Amino acid sequence: MSERSQVWAKEELELLVGWMEENKESLKGKQATWHKDVKDQLFADQEEITVKRIREKVNNMKAAWRETRKLREQSGSGVKPEDNAPSFVALLEKKCAFFWRLDEI
């Protein structure tokens, strides 16, 4: 199975976001360095999770966070029927599952 076709498990994402929360200072350094730290500290025994996959996931999470943050900051934003979300907060979480945690980072 190729790297691209593998989906991150919720538990793996929880570990990644948790690591980022606990290591905020490391995030200010070179991305390549802390991506390798994540691999070594969290996923050393998982061959399918490579530094490249970590980098891609972090970049995708950042992009989702940025788009969701833009939505939150738009004046007049609200929930439309086609959003299929019960509230604006639920809509933000639907667009970026870890929005509030990433926003704190």
Side-chain angles (χ1 to χ4, degrees):
M1 187 179 284
S2 74
E3 284 185 15
R4 281 226 176 282
S5 63
Q6 293 179 347
V7 177
W8 284 73
K10 182 165 175 56
E11 297 80 22
E12 294 166 341
L13 292 173
E14 287 284 349
L15 283 172
L16 177 57
V17 173
W19 188 94
M20 292 166 65
E21 288 170 326
E22 295 295 318
N23 295 277
K24 289 179 187 175
E25 285 301 313
S26 296
L27 303 179
K28 295 176 184 175
K30 286 188 172 188
Q31 284 192 7
T33 301
W34 69 262
H35 292 162
K36 184 175 179 336
D37 289 345
V38 168
K39 169 64 178 167
D40 294 345
Q41 294 172 25
L42 299 179
F43 305 112
D45 59 338
Q46 298 179 42
E47 288 180 29
E48 71 279 3
I49 298 181
T50 63
V51 173
K52 179 182 174 187
R53 276 191 71 212
I54 293 166
R55 181 184 70 242
E56 289 170 351
K57 177 46 77 179
V58 168
N59 287 339
N60 290 340
M61 288 170 52
K62 278 185 193 176
W65 171 78
R66 279 189 201 109
E67 287 301 312
T68 305
R69 190 162 182 218
K70 249 192 260 182
L71 176 66
R72 183 187 72 184
E73 292 172 353
Q74 290 176 353
S75 78
S77 290
V79 180
K80 300 176 207 99
E82 63 268 21
D83 291 331
N84 199 23
S87 68
F88 191 63
V89 169
L91 175 62
L92 296 177
E93 291 169 352
K94 181 179 176 185
K95 297 208 175 276
C96 180
F98 295 97
F99 178 73
W100 302 110
R101 291 173 69 185
L102 293 175
D103 207 42
E104 288 294 316
I105 296 171

